[in-house]
Amino acid sequence: ISYSAIEGVLSSWLLPAISQFQSNYKGIRFDGEISASDGVYHSLATDQADFGIALEGDIQPEIEIIKRFETGFKIALSPAHHLAKQQNVQIEDLAPFPLAMLSSRFHTRHLLDSLSIRKNLPFNITFELDNIEMLKQFILTTNGATILPDFALINETKDKSLTIIDINEGAFPITTTVLCTRKGRHLTKAARQFIEFIQEIDITRQDK
């Protein structure tokens, strides 16, 4: 079973689902790649993957969305950050502080850039990276801050290794994460079964 997925869904959703599926169906092999959302759609359109998981964006007509999951965004702070102990933090409060962010390849960064233009609010982005797990490590070691999709912070919400704050309503538009494939692609029985299986694991409930 081949897949292409954004990094943020791996540790809390996709990899546990694969592990559980393989324990139920012995001998099933998975072959995956991690990419930004545009790369996921490209892999599907060029038949390099059976299914993909991405943030919904400009989707080509040949891509079929199987299921949508509503996605929010959160501020993640080192517990030692100046804002971590404050009761009420707005995304605008981050502007004076150094901010570590995903690179411009990522939808999350596009949303922040759009907010910056809309509100004429220059954020002080001092570090960029294209790896979510390394970005989280960076803000821990530098007492920094970042913004990530909620599904990328499920483990940190549970273990409280980072201070997680909801972004104020209206700052970022409502976004969806999509499970998708290419229209008309012939899927093996195993691929069809896994796609059905993962639909039942609602990413929005993983941190409840």
Side-chain angles (χ1 to χ4, degrees):
I1 302 173
S2 58
Y3 66 87
S4 181
I6 52 177
E7 181 198 354
V9 301
L10 283 182
S11 61
S12 60
W13 188 32
L14 182 56
L15 295 185
I18 288 174
S19 176
Q20 185 177 345
F21 190 81
Q22 287 181 320
S23 68
N24 294 338
Y25 300 94
K26 305 298 183 184
I28 300 296
R29 183 174 66 88
F30 284 80
D31 176 18
E33 67 168 12
I34 305 307
S35 179
S37 294
D38 288 348
V40 172
Y41 296 133
H42 176 75
S43 292
L44 294 176
T46 54
D47 277 336
Q48 298 177 57
D50 292 320
F51 72 91
I53 302 172
L55 286 173
E56 187 168 4
D58 295 328
I59 301 178
Q60 302 106 315
E62 63 266 31
I63 302 301
E64 178 183 0
I65 295 176
I66 299 168
K67 188 168 182 177
R68 288 179 168 90
F69 303 87
E70 187 171 313
T71 301
F73 293 83
K74 296 180 182 288
I75 299 167
L77 303 168
S78 162
H81 193 280
H82 178 75
L83 296 175
K85 303 302 182 185
Q86 293 195 16
Q87 294 294 323
N88 219 350
V89 176
Q90 304 286 302
I91 193 171
E92 293 83 358
D93 296 332
L94 293 174
F97 297 95
L99 189 61
M101 283 299 299
L102 291 169
S103 72
S104 58
R105 294 174 52 234
F106 290 81
H107 185 65
T108 305
R109 177 62 178 277
H110 295 169
L111 293 176
L112 183 68
D113 290 345
S114 296
L115 176 68
S116 177
I117 294 169
R118 191 168 72 247
K119 295 205 169 192
N120 192 26
L121 188 67
F123 289 95
N124 183 21
I125 298 172
T126 59
F127 184 80
E128 297 184 34
L129 197 64
D130 61 358
N131 183 289
I132 289 174
E133 293 304 315
M134 293 305 297
L135 185 62
K136 289 188 283 191
Q137 287 302 311
F138 179 81
I139 67 167
L140 268 176
T141 57
T142 61
N143 297 330
T146 190
I147 297 169
L148 290 169
D150 53 10
F151 54 67
L153 293 165
I154 288 172
N155 293 333
E156 289 74 20
T157 300
K158 290 177 179 177
D159 64 24
K160 302 188 186 306
S161 57
L162 294 173
T163 300
I164 310 300
I165 300 169
D166 288 329
I167 288 179
N168 35 304
E169 187 175 349
F172 278 13
I174 295 174
T175 303
T176 52
T177 299
V178 292
L179 173 64
C180 47
T181 189
R182 182 183 66 77
K183 292 177 182 176
R185 178 176 172 86
H186 174 72
L187 297 171
T188 64
K189 181 180 178 181
R192 293 195 305 271
Q193 286 181 319
F194 182 75
I195 289 170
E196 291 175 3
F197 173 74
I198 200 171
Q199 288 181 70
E200 302 306 315
I201 305 174
D202 189 342
I203 193 172
T204 63
R205 295 200 303 265
Q206 297 303 294
D207 59 345
K208 301 295 189 289

